[in-house]
Amino acid sequence: MTSKAGIEQVLKEASMRVTQPRVAVLAAVTAHPHADTETIISAVHREHPQVSHQAVYDSLKLFTSLGVVRQIQPQGHIARYETRVGDNHHHVVCRQCGQLADVDCSVGASPCLHASDDHGFHIDEAEVIYWGICPDCQAKSS
């Protein structure tokens, strides 16, 4: 989905009108996985300075609600966005610098983990965040 045509196709498949701001925002999220809103705004403005902050916020909200983009917000951190959706992967977060990386499901398919008591829920996704210290921060503290 890195080409403009690919991004436009994703928008069409999600029944969204294709607009320059939406294409620019989705391109920025694609190019900057796990980016926060300010990083996405900066990336959009480098190519399309006329796109407003509000258009970026609105696009991210719409993309998230339609499942085109996933919002991740580990405890104590600001929201971040990624286009890797629908595969129920997890994340690892550095406690010191906040670096975030994808971690594939450890067991099978969605939800890949099973609750000891589902309380009658039909569980279709499990969200796991692994916390630790990234290699760069480990090296700095050695």
Side-chain angles (χ1 to χ4, degrees):
M1 174 177 54
T2 57
S3 71
K4 182 178 178 188
I7 289 170
E8 289 176 356
Q9 185 62 34
V10 167
L11 295 174
K12 289 174 186 174
E13 288 173 2
S15 300
M16 281 185 266
R17 197 165 47 90
V18 176
T19 65
Q20 182 185 25
R22 288 178 182 167
V23 171
V25 172
L26 193 52
V29 175
T30 301
H32 305 280
H34 306 131
D36 61 27
T37 308
E38 290 305 313
T39 302
I40 294 167
I41 289 170
S42 294
V44 168
H45 282 170
R46 278 193 292 280
E47 299 292 322
H48 306 281
Q50 73 283 6
V51 175
S52 70
H53 283 55
Q54 191 61 51
V56 174
Y57 286 112
D58 291 347
S59 295
L60 289 171
K61 183 176 180 180
L62 178 62
F63 296 162
T64 302
S65 72
L66 294 175
V68 173
V69 165
R70 181 177 179 192
Q71 180 184 16
I72 311 145
Q73 190 165 6
Q75 184 178 0
H77 294 266
I78 59 176
R80 300 181 191 192
Y81 299 88
E82 67 180 350
T83 56
R84 185 175 170 185
V85 297
D87 67 349
N88 196 206
H89 70 281
H90 309 299
H91 296 93
V92 60
V93 180
C94 180
R95 291 185 186 280
Q96 291 182 359
C97 70
Q99 179 183 337
L100 192 139
D102 291 335
V103 176
D104 289 330
C105 273
S106 57
V107 181
S110 278
C112 82
L113 299 172
H114 301 282
S116 59
D117 182 356
D118 64 15
H119 298 278
F121 283 69
H122 170 76
I123 298 174
D124 61 7
E125 182 178 1
E127 186 172 314
V128 175
I129 297 179
Y130 299 94
W131 294 89
I133 308 299
C134 73
D136 290 341
C137 290
Q138 289 176 51
K140 289 176 188 172
S141 62
S142 296

